[in-house]
Amino acid sequence: MRYISTRGQAPALNFEDVLLAGLATDGGLYVPENLPRFTQEEIASWAGLPYHELAFRVMRPFVTGSIPDADFKKILEETYGVFSHNAIAPLRQLNGNEWVMELFHGPTLAFKDFALQLLGRLLDYVLHKRGERVVIVGATSGDTGSAAIEGCKHCENVDIFILHPHNRVSEVQRRQMTTIFGDNIHNIAIEGNFDDCQEMVKASFADQGFLKGTRLVAVNSINWARIMAQIVYYFHAALQLGGPARSVSFSVPTGNFGDIFAGYLARNMGLPINQLVVATNRNDILHRFMSGNQYVKETLHATLSPSMDIMVSSNFERLLFDLHGRNGAAIAGLMDSFRQGGGFSVEAERWTEARKLFDSLAVDDAQTCETIAEVFGQSGELLDPHTAIGVRAARECRRSLDIPMVILGTAHPVKFPEAVEKAGVGKALELPAHLSDLFEREERCTVLPNDLKAVQAFVSQHGNRGKPL
Ligand SMILES: *Cc1c(COP(=O)(O)O)cnc(C)c1O
């Protein structure tokens, strides 16, 4: 499988190189040159497979030529073996023909484990084969950091540095990062905000001299392997609800457009999906595009669903590429005008094309709490605020009551106690067994000033399993 850039000017790469690449050299994102397509009979024959075996069938075409089948199978069995629920992504019924797919039974209780558990293992596999080491430097406002650390903690060939804003992530989120020890794991609390952290990561990619030749790898949601891993659970849910003979709809709590883009790909690979609902919080750039063809940057709002607090949705470029007939020059032009003027619209027929599949809703904090309380009252299910936004959007945007609607349950409610308290459902939140002593565990973290040079010096001092690069 070959991968090409959405801006048309970077060389095509194979899977192995895309895994290590991050952004393409022309500033674009990598996508498969040709998407695999499965027949209905083929998809139907996968009903009842264990999750890791389904994952093998769905993802195999993407890694062909880079990872032999037997090795890939083993990696997938290990990856999904660490989940605490045997069904990996169980469905729970909320209402008539309405389901939540629980994607929070991984080590860090959010759906990001599906991709980052796999990414860590894939990186280690490829690096071992090449006899190379890499350094990961990532910024987090919460969920990504812990999932990336959990995913990389056993990697022989990866040193991971995660920057979070000092005193500005929740205690559960901080402890999920700082209580994992290893000589290749480094938590850095920056005396600044999340944007400061992200700027330092960007600056480090732009000037990598401090790494003394060691390769720097991205773990944010633009990494193709993360998208690829997320395609699988759309097939998994549909197969349980009568697919592919019957079509299914999905509602996806969305920030960077990564998770929902995986659903779009599942559909293009042959899975009958009727409708995809883009569910955003007050940071609603995607909703403004879907409802009014305006992709315009606005200021950032802090919400009760912080994992969707974004101003720009980085993976949206991948959808735009398809909407423009895969014309890289057109995308480069759009992105230029976005950078200069802060916004764009697309031609009417392209927007209409997108609207055949996508609907959207923006949900504010008050409505989020209202939905948590409503669902708890109706079914006894306690939702996290991100999932609640998905439910709200599903209920308002649903096109057909005859078609099953699956809401992606992106996090466990215990990660976001503030929203649950505000919703006033009066149910005590308990950490799952594997995290029950989280508040007693020892923490390890280095506090550094908001200063790029200090961070880079720290990385080069510790980037080789705690020793200097
Ligand atoms: C990351 C995250 C999201 C948003 O996912 P995208 O792929 O950025 O759209 C939603 N909910 C939770 C809990 C998350 O951690």
Side-chain angles (χ1 to χ4, degrees):
M1 170 75 73
R2 278 159 41 100
Y3 294 84
I4 56 172
S5 165
T6 50
R7 300 198 192 169
Q9 295 296 314
L13 300 180
N14 65 20
F15 177 76
E16 202 175 302
D17 290 323
V18 158
L19 184 68
L20 300 171
L23 274 186
T25 49
D26 58 4
L29 305 180
Y30 277 104
V31 290
E33 187 169 41
N34 295 299
L35 206 60
R37 214 183 148 82
F38 305 118
T39 64
Q40 302 297 289
E41 296 73 46
E42 215 172 347
I43 297 170
S45 75
W46 300 338
L49 285 181
Y51 193 89
H52 64 274
E53 289 194 23
L54 176 67
F56 172 72
R57 284 163 177 81
V58 172
M59 289 192 271
R60 182 177 183 232
F62 294 115
V63 306
T64 302
S66 294
I67 307 181
D69 284 355
D71 293 349
F72 193 43
K73 273 188 184 166
K74 191 161 157 261
I75 288 171
L76 291 169
E77 199 171 341
E78 277 176 26
T79 297
Y80 297 106
V82 303
F83 281 60
S84 64
H85 195 299
N86 281 346
I88 314 300
L91 291 175
R92 258 190 207 262
Q93 189 160 15
L94 288 188
N95 222 323
N97 233 354
E98 184 192 64
W99 312 75
V100 168
M101 172 160 52
E102 296 185 348
L103 299 175
F104 47 75
H105 296 288
T108 73
L109 313 180
F111 83 94
K112 290 186 170 70
D113 290 326
F114 277 81
L116 285 162
Q117 283 294 318
L118 178 60
L119 181 64
R121 287 174 174 81
L122 288 173
L123 281 175
D124 219 32
Y125 175 86
V126 163
L127 292 168
H128 176 77
K129 198 170 78 178
R130 293 158 76 117
E132 288 176 25
R133 302 184 55 78
V134 299
V135 164
I136 288 171
V137 180
T140 190
S141 54
D143 291 344
T144 304
S146 56
I149 289 173
E150 278 285 351
C152 294
K153 69 179 179 186
H154 297 305
C155 294
E156 295 285 328
N157 306 299
V158 178
D159 280 83
I160 179 164
F161 296 81
I162 295 292
L163 280 47
H164 72 262
H166 189 37
N167 292 332
R168 296 193 200 200
V169 300
S170 78
E171 186 170 6
V172 173
Q173 288 181 321
R174 187 191 72 238
R175 285 181 168 274
Q176 282 188 310
M177 298 190 278
T178 57
T179 58
I180 299 171
F181 299 165
D183 57 7
N184 63 332
I185 296 171
H186 311 276
N187 277 288
I188 303 176
I190 299 291
E191 292 172 321
N193 59 30
F194 173 61
D195 283 334
D196 297 327
C197 298
Q198 218 167 12
E199 278 310 312
M200 288 201 242
V201 173
K202 271 195 203 151
S204 300
F205 271 92
D207 179 6
Q208 305 189 9
F210 70 104
L211 293 165
K212 315 217 162 80
T214 307
R215 193 201 280 262
L216 188 61
V217 165
V219 287
N220 54 7
S221 71
I222 57 147
N223 187 304
W224 163 256
R226 285 187 59 179
I227 306 277
M228 173 184 86
Q230 293 167 185
I231 298 171
V232 178
Y233 44 68
Y234 288 90
F235 281 88
H236 191 251
L239 281 164
Q240 287 173 75
L241 294 171
R246 198 177 178 206
S247 86
V248 178
S249 294
F250 292 89
S251 174
V252 188
T254 310
N256 273 320
F257 206 73
D259 211 4
I260 194 164
F261 184 69
Y264 162 85
L265 293 177
R267 183 169 182 270
N268 289 350
M269 290 163 71
L271 186 70
I273 293 180
N274 180 261
Q275 180 189 11
L276 286 172
V277 180
V278 174
T280 77
N281 64 24
R282 219 183 132 193
N283 298 293
D284 61 350
I285 185 166
L286 289 167
H287 171 60
R288 283 180 280 118
F289 176 81
M290 291 300 171
S291 57
N293 192 6
Q294 292 284 322
Y295 193 75
V296 181
K297 190 163 157 177
E298 280 188 0
T299 50
L300 188 71
H301 301 283
T303 72
L304 291 173
S305 44
S307 303
M308 307 188 332
D309 287 351
I310 49 88
M311 286 189 286
V312 177
S313 289
S314 43
N315 282 293
F316 189 55
E317 179 166 341
R318 287 182 158 125
L319 178 70
L320 288 171
F321 184 57
D322 280 3
L323 287 178
H324 288 78
R326 308 203 115 197
N327 175 347
I331 300 307
L334 276 183
M335 289 302 152
D336 267 346
S337 62
F338 186 70
R339 237 191 336 272
Q340 284 157 20
F344 60 77
S345 324
V346 302
E347 285 137 291
E349 63 268 26
R350 303 191 197 281
W351 181 78
T352 309
E353 188 58 34
R355 287 304 314 273
K356 284 186 191 158
L357 178 63
F358 292 99
D359 289 288
S360 68
L361 187 72
V363 178
D364 67 20
D365 279 351
Q367 294 167 323
T368 304
C369 293
E370 212 175 274
T371 307
I372 294 174
E374 178 184 297
V375 170
F376 187 73
Q378 289 166 344
S379 62
E381 291 298 321
L382 186 55
L383 303 179
D384 100 286
H386 306 82
T387 308
I389 288 172
V391 170
R392 181 90 174 202
R395 290 182 177 178
E396 290 207 16
C397 299
R398 191 157 176 188
R399 292 179 190 170
S400 162
L401 291 176
D402 297 329
I403 294 173
M405 172 61 82
V406 178
I407 297 106
L408 270 56
T410 51
H412 192 293
V414 76
K415 284 194 100 163
F416 301 98
E418 192 190 347
V420 175
E421 266 158 42
K422 285 208 168 119
V425 293
K427 179 172 165 175
L429 285 163
E430 266 181 49
L431 285 161
H434 75 279
L435 288 172
S436 59
D437 63 344
L438 187 68
F439 288 94
E440 283 93 63
R441 290 184 196 166
E442 190 193 329
E443 292 187 76
R444 260 183 224 169
C445 181
T446 305
V447 181
L448 290 179
N450 183 9
D451 171 23
L452 179 63
K453 287 280 165 281
V455 172
Q456 294 187 336
F458 185 87
V459 174
S460 63
Q461 270 307 304
H462 300 89
N464 186 10
R465 298 204 80 89
K467 296 193 204 64
L469 283 172

